[in-house]
Amino acid sequence: KKSGLAVAMIEIIAKIETHTSGQVDSIEGKNSIVSIRCDNAKENLVSSLLDQYESSGISLETTVPHTPHQDGVVERIGGMIWQGGAAFRYGGNLPYEYWLLCCEAYTYVRNRLPNTNDNVVTPYELFNDVRVEFRELADRFRVVGCLCFVVTPHLSVGKPRKSYRAMFVGYL
């Protein structure tokens, strides 16, 4: 929901700062995040969020209303995630209620595949500073909407059901 943006952004900023501390040289003692660009939507200009930006030394750049081309790469990536999620949902023959899970699954897959011109590292590897073999990544991929089996722990005294059939809707 749009009302939860402030809390989500504060969590994301903290996560990025934690992941990049020591990896990115700070500028004049500031955090590694220098500025954030967004449109003039009300949910982006909440006072708690603006206070967080100010206390963290982050400048907020807002774009002119009704000019999505100023948002550039972010708008294109958002559109790609939306279309990729729709393709996953359609390919898995899933109802509309699963669109968010399909978008999350698409993002998971996209971040684990090389998507730059050099095709050397993935966004996941860059962000987490790890190297993962492509074969290991490819073996983990599954088709959204396919049959999967969920293993249940042995907790009951009687004859336990060891697994049950389910539909794969995304990654953890």
Side-chain angles (χ1 to χ4, degrees), residues 7 30 48 63-64:
V7 174
K30 293 182 180 181
S48 61
T63 60
V64 178

PDB file of all heavy atoms in Angstrom, residues 7 30 48 63-64:
ATOM      1  N   VAL A   7       7.628   3.745   5.919  1.00  0.00           N
ATOM      2  CA  VAL A   7       8.267   2.694   6.714  1.00  0.00           C
ATOM      3  C   VAL A   7       9.149   1.820   5.824  1.00  0.00           C
ATOM      4  O   VAL A   7      10.285   1.497   6.190  1.00  0.00           O
ATOM      5  CB  VAL A   7       7.189   1.832   7.427  1.00  0.00           C
ATOM      6  CG1 VAL A   7       7.816   0.648   8.127  1.00  0.00           C
ATOM      7  CG2 VAL A   7       6.400   2.680   8.397  1.00  0.00           C
ATOM      8  N   LYS A  30      29.299  11.671   4.728  1.00  0.00           N
ATOM      9  CA  LYS A  30      27.882  11.338   4.596  1.00  0.00           C
ATOM     10  C   LYS A  30      27.711   9.853   4.336  1.00  0.00           C
ATOM     11  O   LYS A  30      28.665   9.131   4.111  1.00  0.00           O
ATOM     12  CB  LYS A  30      27.249  12.122   3.439  1.00  0.00           C
ATOM     13  CG  LYS A  30      27.166  13.606   3.669  1.00  0.00           C
ATOM     14  CD  LYS A  30      26.478  14.260   2.498  1.00  0.00           C
ATOM     15  CE  LYS A  30      26.360  15.758   2.689  1.00  0.00           C
ATOM     16  NZ  LYS A  30      25.682  16.395   1.566  1.00  0.00           N
ATOM     17  N   SER A  48       7.560  12.265   7.841  1.00  0.00           N
ATOM     18  CA  SER A  48       8.481  11.332   8.497  1.00  0.00           C
ATOM     19  C   SER A  48       9.594  10.899   7.539  1.00  0.00           C
ATOM     20  O   SER A  48      10.746  10.730   7.947  1.00  0.00           O
ATOM     21  CB  SER A  48       7.730  10.109   9.027  1.00  0.00           C
ATOM     22  OG  SER A  48       7.099   9.421   7.967  1.00  0.00           O
ATOM     23  N   THR A  63      10.722  15.179  -9.540  1.00  0.00           N
ATOM     24  CA  THR A  63      10.596  15.501 -10.955  1.00  0.00           C
ATOM     25  C   THR A  63       9.358  16.349 -11.187  1.00  0.00           C
ATOM     26  O   THR A  63       8.493  16.468 -10.322  1.00  0.00           O
ATOM     27  CB  THR A  63      10.492  14.214 -11.795  1.00  0.00           C
ATOM     28  OG1 THR A  63       9.349  13.488 -11.371  1.00  0.00           O
ATOM     29  CG2 THR A  63      11.732  13.363 -11.641  1.00  0.00           C
ATOM     30  N   VAL A  64       9.284  16.933 -12.355  1.00  0.00           N
ATOM     31  CA  VAL A  64       8.146  17.756 -12.736  1.00  0.00           C
ATOM     32  C   VAL A  64       6.933  16.843 -12.933  1.00  0.00           C
ATOM     33  O   VAL A  64       7.062  15.756 -13.499  1.00  0.00           O
ATOM     34  CB  VAL A  64       8.464  18.531 -14.031  1.00  0.00           C
ATOM     35  CG1 VAL A  64       7.278  19.355 -14.486  1.00  0.00           C
ATOM     36  CG2 VAL A  64       9.678  19.415 -13.824  1.00  0.00           C
TER      37      VAL A  64
END
